[in-house]
Amino acid sequence: SITKTESPPPVQEKSKSKISIFLNMSDEELKQKLEEQKSTSKWHPFVQGNLILKQGLIDKRKGLFARRRMLLLTMGPHLYYVDPNNMVLKGEIPWSSSLRVEVRSFKIFLVHTPNRVYYLEDPDGYALEWCKAIEEVRKEAYGHEP
Ligand code: 4IP
């Protein structure tokens, strides 16, 4: 017979992303983070009291031209975009269970929604980070099934 003498080595815990830490916060921590955001973030007025999970300047292409926007991924979830020069909320990419991201290159990523494909470009080349973050939020909000 096999006698177990040693316990198996501990499974190395995968390092948690910043997003998953945010998504797993307690109510108390969330409240505190929101207070912090309210007093420190100039984007707070645009996000309807939702905690900002990721933010960054992106170029949103529509037709011939691209407009530079501050893209705000928040709890809810929401994806708001703000005109950073005039500090005006220009719109929101509508969330649903069928929202999908697609990375095209270091800079270019697409957000597919039922009625529109959003062409977005991260001038700093972190398109993959955007896609990972959005996908993580999607899984959390709508489940892991494709
Ligand atoms: C605009 O182009 C901007 O790209 C708008 O983006 C966009 O609206 C308009 O598309 C598009 O016509 P011009 O500024 O060159 O006119 P933003 O709202 O960020 O300023 P959305 O918000 O929908 O991308 P329409 O078709 O939605 O009006």
Side-chain angles (χ1 to χ4, degrees), residues 60-62 65-67 69 81 90-92 116 118:
K60 176 170 57 68
R61 190 165 292 281
K62 180 87 196 268
F65 305 103
R67 298 277 166 220
R69 300 291 176 242
Y81 48 92
K90 300 299 290 201
E92 187 180 339
R116 176 169 165 190
Y118 290 82

Side-chain angles (χ1 to χ4, degrees), residues 44-145:
H44 184 77
F46 305 108
V47 296
Q48 301 173 311
N50 290 300
L51 189 70
I52 298 168
L53 302 170
K54 185 176 173 62
Q55 67 179 57
L57 289 171
I58 55 94
D59 295 316
K60 176 170 57 68
R61 190 165 292 281
K62 180 87 196 268
L64 280 182
F65 305 103
R67 298 277 166 220
R68 184 147 294 187
R69 300 291 176 242
M70 174 55 74
L71 186 62
L72 302 159
L73 173 63
T74 75
M75 280 188 166
H78 294 272
L79 271 165
Y80 303 98
Y81 48 92
V82 175
D83 177 340
N85 298 319
N86 301 313
M87 291 303 276
V88 173
L89 179 68
K90 300 299 290 201
E92 187 180 339
I93 299 175
W95 267 97
S96 71
S97 59
S98 56
L99 182 146
R100 287 293 180 280
V101 283
E102 180 191 340
V103 63
R104 278 280 170 88
S105 69
F106 288 109
K107 289 187 175 182
I108 296 171
F109 64 107
L110 276 47
V111 179
H112 297 264
T113 71
N115 295 317
R116 176 169 165 190
V117 179
Y118 290 82
Y119 286 80
L120 307 174
E121 180 168 346
D122 179 345
D124 296 326
Y126 292 109
L128 188 60
E129 274 67 19
W130 270 111
C131 288
K132 281 183 184 165
I134 294 168
E135 177 58 11
E136 211 170 331
V137 171
R138 190 197 65 78
K139 278 186 189 161
E140 181 67 28
Y142 298 101
H144 292 249
E145 291 305 305

